[in-house]
Amino acid sequence: MGLDYGSVTVGVAISDAIGLTAQPVEVIKRKSENKLRQTLARIEELASEYGVERIVLGYPKNMNNSEGERAQRTKEFMEKLIARTGLEVVLWDERLSTVSAMNVLKEGGVRREDRKTYVDKIAASIILQGYLDSMDGQE
């Protein structure tokens, strides 16, 4: 499972059964950044439904490779994910994943006002696909 963790949304993607491709699944929305209980519950439901063994969590490093406030919040979210699901969580560099997702949507002809609806789950699939590609037969 790939996650693109944002301040009020979490994009979710799932890999196919053999771990070759990532598909976008949904965007989980919450009322505010600190309201995570329902978000974590939904991730747990999806993990169970899809038989997830590992979560790949997008890690928002700065372009100069430093870690800022978003990276710290992501690490805190990772700890909550581990406690809630009991699954291994891998942090994955997500720099430019949202930009790439926007480009995919633009090239796909999705109207500008509709892109916001899809961008987080597309970004999650880009994060997960990057991880899957890096594993290429290593497991």
Side-chain angles (χ1 to χ4, degrees), residues 56-95:
V56 179
L57 178 60
Y59 191 52
K61 293 174 117 180
N62 295 322
M63 293 308 288
N64 66 1
N65 208 33
S66 66
E67 298 176 3
E69 183 182 339
R70 282 278 1 128
Q72 184 57 43
R73 288 182 191 256
T74 299
K75 284 182 177 177
E76 291 166 7
F77 181 66
M78 179 183 83
E79 294 303 321
K80 291 175 181 167
L81 267 176
I82 293 168
R84 180 70 185 238
T85 66
L87 295 170
E88 175 187 5
V89 177
V90 176
L91 291 175
W92 189 257
D93 188 346
E94 70 164 30
R95 283 178 280 190

Side-chain angles (χ1 to χ4, degrees), residues 52-137:
V52 170
E53 297 173 4
R54 179 178 304 131
I55 296 172
V56 179
L57 178 60
Y59 191 52
K61 293 174 117 180
N62 295 322
M63 293 308 288
N64 66 1
N65 208 33
S66 66
E67 298 176 3
E69 183 182 339
R70 282 278 1 128
Q72 184 57 43
R73 288 182 191 256
T74 299
K75 284 182 177 177
E76 291 166 7
F77 181 66
M78 179 183 83
E79 294 303 321
K80 291 175 181 167
L81 267 176
I82 293 168
R84 180 70 185 238
T85 66
L87 295 170
E88 175 187 5
V89 177
V90 176
L91 291 175
W92 189 257
D93 188 346
E94 70 164 30
R95 283 178 280 190
L96 301 177
S97 64
T98 300
V99 173
S100 296
M102 282 299 222
N103 288 336
V104 165
L105 292 168
K106 192 160 81 173
E107 290 169 12
V110 177
R111 293 179 30 209
R112 180 185 305 262
E113 52 272 13
D114 294 335
R115 290 178 198 155
K116 198 171 193 177
T117 305
Y118 304 104
V119 70
D120 294 318
K121 64 183 175 181
I122 300 296
S125 66
I126 290 169
I127 291 164
L128 181 56
Q129 191 64 57
Y131 174 80
L132 294 172
D133 292 347
S134 78
M135 297 308 292
D136 196 27

Side-chain angles (χ1 to χ4, degrees), residues 39-56:
T39 298
L40 291 165
R42 181 63 182 146
I43 291 168
E44 187 176 35
E45 286 174 16
L46 290 167
S48 176
E49 179 182 336
Y50 288 97
V52 170
E53 297 173 4
R54 179 178 304 131
I55 296 172
V56 179

Side-chain angles (χ1 to χ4, degrees), residues 17-34:
I18 56 175
L20 290 179
T21 62
Q23 294 86 32
V25 174
E26 72 178 67
V27 175
I28 303 168
K29 296 181 183 178
R30 59 190 182 282
K31 289 180 175 36
S32 71
E33 186 162 9
N34 297 323

